[in-house]
Every structure is written in C-alpha cells, then in structure tokens.
Amino acid sequence: MSEEITVSQENGVLIMTIDRPEAKNAMNKAAAEAIAAALDKLDSDDDLRVGILTGAGGTFCSGMDLKGFLRGESPIIEGRGFGGLVQAPPKKPLIAAVEGYALAGGLELMIACDLVVANEDAQFGIPEVKRGLVAAAGGVMMLPDQIPERIAMELALSGEFIGAARAYELGLINRVVSGSALDGAKEMAAKIAANGPLAVCVSKQIVKESRGWSMEERYEKQAQLIGPVFVSEDAREGAAAFAEKRKPNWKGK
C-alpha cells in the first residue's frame, strides 16, 4: 500500500487514513491509487463489513494537490474518478470521519461516502471558484442531491465554508462529536457490522438507486434485489437467532 495512505482493519472494519498531513492531506495520484486498491479489498474480503475514510493530522482532506496539478499530475483514476472513489463507491458501506477541513475534492470524497461523522470544529466547502476552477469531482452535481439546491448553489458560487453545526442542520452529515471523529465513526461502523451483510449491502443499493426509479417500477425493482436476501442462509439465521435470543452468526450467503 502507498505511504500516502495507511490501512488497518479491526472487527470487520477497514480504516483508510489519508496520511499526508504536511500537505493537509491534499489528494495526489499515489493516494488516489491507494484508496482505489483499499476499496477493492473492502468489497472483495468477506471478513470486512464496513469501511471508514479519514485523514491524519487533524484534517480530512483539503482537496486536490495543486502542486501536483501544476506538474501535470491528476488524482483521478480512470473509471473511479477523483481519489479513486467518487465515481465508483464500494458496494459495502463507507463512513467518512472528518476532522478539520473537508474542502473542494475533500468534500467531494466525503459526499461520495454513505455516512459522515464529524468533529464539532470541522469545516466544509467547495471553494474551487476562488481559484478559477469548478468543483468537478461531484461537488456541483452531487451536493444538490444531499442538501437544498439553493444552499448548494450558494456554496458553489461563493466558495465559502460552513461549520459542522450548519452541515448537520442541513442533513449533510450524520453526527457531530466533540471528540475524535474516527472514534465516532468506529461506533457507527460497529452497529452496521453487527447486521446481516447481504441485507446491509442491498439496503445501501436500494437507497442509492431507487431515486432514479419511476413510481411504477419501484416495487418491482426492489423485489428483484431483495428476493435473494429473503431466501438466504443469513435470513434464516437472523430469525433463528432472534427466536433463540442469541447473536446471529452471519455467513454472508
């Protein structure tokens, strides 16, 4: 794994830490490649249930490495997008643990995650316009899907930041913590990892995809996805564990 990213795992959770604190964890090509590789591991390893993306040194990610940009380097992976993530999120749940700044490409990495836990002092924004650029890694397209359009427009056109309290109020983040965002994300991940892995992944898929389904086709499309879950070994195990008052032993099949 690249030195730009540190990866560890515990209790079924894969923790990916952008480790470029001297550059405020600005995203470069090596870091993007490492994130893409780590996400492949998350989805392919049956022992892993949830991923967490965070940053070292008190900052989540300050965006694209502009020094690398000036050298002609791109932190975009073909088919995967910025940071190896924004255009191809994992099938399994991914939580962003945000300390400090999630700006520009850093915010775009964050909104590509499924859930967000942030420290109360965190700051969020897409200030690309201040540099004559556009938040092209999903910011101007995806942010209006997650917060009111007029607020997304203000952030995109002004380049100004908002704090954690405002981000929570807008529904941009799930939880605000006074201590470690990573600890808060681990707590959230543990609750997800305790559930049936097939059901979790299909639930995520339906939440993500169903917004594009017409009213007429919603239940039919959902049935196609949940059918295999309801006849799985895990479904029987979940029912048996409930009846026997014990924790389920999930097999992911």
Side-chain angles (χ1 to χ4, degrees), residues 214-251:
S214 68
M215 292 299 294
E216 293 76 15
E217 65 185 355
R218 282 187 172 185
Y219 278 96
E220 180 180 349
K221 284 185 173 292
Q222 177 180 259
Q224 294 172 0
L225 293 173
I226 68 174
V229 176
F230 276 72
V231 297
S232 68
E233 291 184 32
D234 276 358
R236 294 184 62 84
E237 170 62 12
F242 176 79
E244 297 166 12
K245 299 181 180 180
R246 59 174 174 81
K247 290 184 178 181
N249 179 25
W250 307 118
K251 296 182 180 178

Side-chain angles (χ1 to χ4, degrees), residues 39 42-43 49 88-94 114 200-202 204-205:
L39 294 177
L42 172 63
D43 271 345
R49 304 290 176 81
K91 294 178 181 178
K92 295 177 183 177
L94 181 61
D114 302 301
V200 165
C201 286
V202 170
K204 168 182 171 171
Q205 183 180 359

Side-chain angles (χ1 to χ4, degrees), residues 71-144:
R71 293 193 301 267
E73 179 182 297
S74 173
I76 296 173
I77 307 299
E78 185 175 357
R80 313 285 290 257
F82 181 84
L85 165 63
V86 300
Q87 292 181 31
K91 294 178 181 178
K92 295 177 183 177
L94 181 61
I95 303 170
V98 179
E99 306 275 356
Y101 295 104
L103 302 177
L107 183 82
E108 291 166 319
L109 288 175
M110 185 194 87
I111 64 176
C113 296
D114 302 301
L115 302 159
V116 183
V117 177
N119 177 268
E120 61 188 355
D121 295 325
Q123 295 282 309
F124 310 86
I126 44 174
E128 280 87 343
V129 290
K130 291 179 179 289
R131 300 291 179 263
L133 301 172
V134 176
V140 291
M141 292 190 296
M142 303 303 292
L143 200 54

Side-chain angles (χ1 to χ4, degrees), residues 1-2 4-19 34-35 37-39 41-42 45 47-56 60 93-98 180-190:
M1 194 65 66
S2 168
E4 313 288 87
I5 302 292
T6 59
V7 178
S8 62
Q9 60 187 79
E10 53 185 76
N11 303 318
V13 180
L14 187 73
I15 303 169
M16 297 156 278
T17 304
I18 307 168
D19 197 5
I35 289 175
L39 294 177
K41 176 178 174 61
L42 172 63
D45 189 335
D47 292 330
L48 295 172
R49 304 290 176 81
V50 186
I52 295 175
L53 180 65
T54 191
F60 180 70
L94 181 61
I95 303 170
V98 179
S180 165
L182 180 57
D183 287 346
K186 287 180 179 179
E187 180 182 339
M188 180 180 284

Side-chain angles (χ1 to χ4, degrees), residues 153-184:
M153 186 72 78
E154 180 181 354
L155 292 175
L157 302 186
S158 72
E160 295 299 309
F161 305 165
I162 58 172
R166 178 61 169 155
Y168 178 78
E169 180 184 72
L170 291 168
L172 183 61
I173 63 179
N174 296 84
R175 294 183 187 175
V176 179
V177 296
S178 58
S180 165
L182 180 57
D183 287 346

